[in-house]
Amino acid sequence: MTLRQIDIGPQYLEEKEEFLLEKIADVKKRLGDQVMVLCHHYQQESVFGFADSTGDSLKLAKDAAKDRDRPYIVFCGVHFMAESADILTSDRQAVMLPDRRAGCPMADMAVIDHVEWAWQELEKVVSGAKIIPVTYVNSSARLKAFVGERGGAVCTSSNAERVLTWALSRGDKVFFFPDEHLGRNSAIALGIPEDETVLWKRGHHMGGNRPETLAGSKVILWDGYCTVHMQFTADHIRMWREKDSDIRIVVHPECRYEVVGQADKYGSTETIIKTISESEPGSKWAVGTEINLVNRLSRQFPDREVHSLSPFPCLCSTMYRIKPAYLLWVLENLAVGREVNRITVDPKTAEKAKLALDRMLAI
Ligand code: 13P
Ligand code: SF4
């Protein structure tokens, strides 16, 4: 969801970065244990340096759930992540998103009204088969609640295959939201035949499928996608392999199957980091994920070659909205007892969404 952000004023927006960074360090020190700054791996360096904890979506959700003593959590990531943190933290904790415009285009592709409509249409043609909904964590709290209410679970890029296996052990079919590619890549990894996986096209009657196709399917994929990871192609892999036969390719599972299927390895941002950090000095990598993470890996491991898989830098522009000026603005307000940009999920939605999140954490 893309929310409106108030103008924080020239005293923040027109200030030099060095000065902002000094002030962030100072106010963060004053706030001490009152605040926890969580940063996703795609955050820009000037913000990432202030993290108390960094991680992929799963790790950050767990970190938010663990530390119950800090009253303020400043989430440097995107809106759905802050919502999950609000659901998993206690009522005494407040979660702040430094720039409310930091949404996720993929999460916005699964609008709850459209999902409800699709579910009703699907139920009509599957003659009583049990459908288990699974949603990628990159989704609204309302979609997570929808899934929780129907016995389903959330998944992340690090546990999608496990959650899919769990869901198929409980029902006849899985309706997977909102990322077609994570769903397809996980289904293929589990050996589910291609003709048992169907695509549900948003805005089309029956998702553009014939009733008998849906009835015979095992996994139904919502047709959402990540605008960043869709930029990586099989041609990029070919190009790197032609250029250097020693190069290895590691990509995020939000990439298309033509990319994931040809890569040497795929996995969440945490897996990508582990893969490069555990590789031998001198090794060469082309990485299919967001550019801030690729550049950080390249700086952290100067004895290895780390390149972006694409010749063009693939930036998540919504993650990039979290800038030092906004982080400082939130922290300075907290220091005088004012909560700005607090992200809250209403209690009814939170209760149902928590069912789906807790099921994932238990799997
Ligand atoms: P990870 O959970 O792998 O960090 O992915 C989150 C995300 O938004 C990737 O686009
Ligand atoms: Fe959403 Fe893609 Fe950005 Fe991740 S990288 S937050 S999926 S747009």
Side-chain angles (χ1 to χ4, degrees):
M1 197 187 339
T2 309
L3 304 172
R4 272 156 122 73
Q5 170 61 47
I6 64 159
D7 184 354
I8 62 172
Q11 70 274 32
Y12 292 102
L13 296 175
E14 286 171 21
E15 203 42 87
K16 283 214 171 67
E17 186 164 285
E18 292 163 56
F19 183 71
L20 293 170
L21 300 186
E22 263 175 43
K23 289 191 85 172
I24 295 173
D26 177 56
V27 67
K28 192 160 178 275
K29 205 159 149 194
R30 277 189 280 130
L31 282 160
D33 282 348
Q34 281 193 289
V35 70
M36 171 159 70
V37 177
L38 297 179
C39 283
H40 186 265
H41 293 305
Y42 295 162
Q43 288 295 298
Q44 54 198 289
E45 236 38 48
S46 49
V47 166
F48 198 77
F50 292 105
D52 294 305
S53 182
T54 62
D56 64 6
S57 305
L58 179 62
K59 180 169 177 289
L60 292 175
K62 285 182 173 167
D63 287 351
K66 222 170 30 200
D67 204 331
R68 307 229 134 204
D69 296 329
R70 305 218 203 188
Y72 303 128
I73 291 171
V74 178
F75 211 116
C76 300
V78 288
H79 185 258
F80 73 81
M81 297 181 178
E83 273 192 335
S84 297
D86 182 55
I87 294 165
L88 293 169
T89 48
S90 77
D91 293 344
R92 285 171 284 106
Q93 293 174 291
V95 178
M96 261 67 62
L97 182 66
D99 187 330
R100 284 160 55 90
R101 291 166 298 185
C104 166
M106 178 206 282
D108 294 344
M109 290 175 195
V111 177
I112 190 66
D113 295 349
H114 301 175
V115 169
E116 279 171 357
W117 184 255
W119 186 267
Q120 280 174 24
E121 283 197 323
L122 181 61
E123 272 191 326
K124 277 187 215 145
V125 293
V126 295
S127 21
K130 190 166 178 201
I131 316 160
I132 305 287
V134 171
T135 185
Y136 187 24
V137 69
N138 297 32
S139 55
S140 68
R142 288 188 68 193
L143 177 48
K144 291 185 180 83
F146 173 92
V147 167
E149 231 179 341
R150 286 163 183 77
V154 171
C155 75
T156 72
S157 54
S158 36
N159 60 22
E161 287 162 31
R162 249 180 301 147
V163 175
L164 200 54
T165 306
W166 168 89
L168 285 169
S169 72
R170 308 200 137 215
D172 308 304
K173 297 180 194 301
V174 170
F175 203 166
F176 190 95
F177 307 98
D179 187 11
E180 170 192 342
H181 304 286
L182 178 65
R184 186 183 307 288
N185 289 322
S186 307
I188 292 174
L190 293 177
I192 297 169
E194 260 179 68
D195 60 355
E196 291 182 15
T197 300
V198 301
L199 189 63
W200 187 282
K201 294 196 195 103
R202 282 169 284 154
H204 292 256
H205 176 60
M206 295 285 173
N209 298 290
R210 292 212 307 270
E212 56 276 23
T213 313
L214 291 168
S217 66
K218 228 183 177 76
V219 179
I220 300 131
L221 304 169
W222 194 255
D223 68 345
Y225 54 88
C226 166
T227 46
V228 179
H229 290 92
M230 287 297 278
Q231 293 174 53
F232 300 104
T233 64
D235 276 347
H236 294 149
I237 299 188
R238 237 186 330 272
M239 179 195 83
W240 276 109
R241 287 192 172 140
E242 271 168 25
K243 203 160 138 186
D244 190 337
S245 57
D246 290 337
I247 199 112
R248 274 174 284 166
I249 315 285
V250 57
V251 301
H252 196 278
E254 286 172 16
C255 295
R256 276 178 275 243
Y257 178 65
E258 63 168 50
V259 174
V260 169
Q262 291 187 45
D264 296 291
K265 187 148 184 160
Y266 68 91
S268 69
T269 51
E270 204 73 15
T271 304
I272 292 174
I273 294 167
K274 193 164 180 279
T275 303
I276 308 260
S277 64
E278 289 176 356
S279 67
E280 59 288 0
S283 54
K284 301 174 190 180
W285 293 95
V287 185
T289 198
E290 207 269 349
I291 195 67
N292 278 290
L293 175 55
V294 179
N295 287 343
R296 184 172 312 118
L297 286 167
S298 163
R299 278 192 302 274
Q300 279 176 346
F301 299 100
D303 58 351
R304 280 149 247 203
E305 268 185 39
V306 181
H307 308 273
S308 170
L309 178 60
S310 163
F312 310 106
C314 298
L315 176 83
C316 177
S317 56
T318 49
M319 286 268 183
Y320 198 62
R321 284 200 177 274
I322 311 292
K323 296 192 164 59
Y326 290 89
L327 177 58
L328 177 62
W329 172 70
V330 166
L331 293 174
E332 285 193 332
N333 273 288
L334 290 179
V336 293
R338 253 196 318 259
E339 291 174 4
V340 289
N341 278 16
R342 183 169 175 182
I343 301 297
T344 51
V345 177
D346 72 85
K348 264 199 186 145
T349 306
E351 192 188 324
K352 293 175 194 162
K354 193 166 183 302
L355 290 174
L357 280 160
D358 284 344
R359 282 187 198 117
M360 168 186 80
L361 296 172
I363 292 168

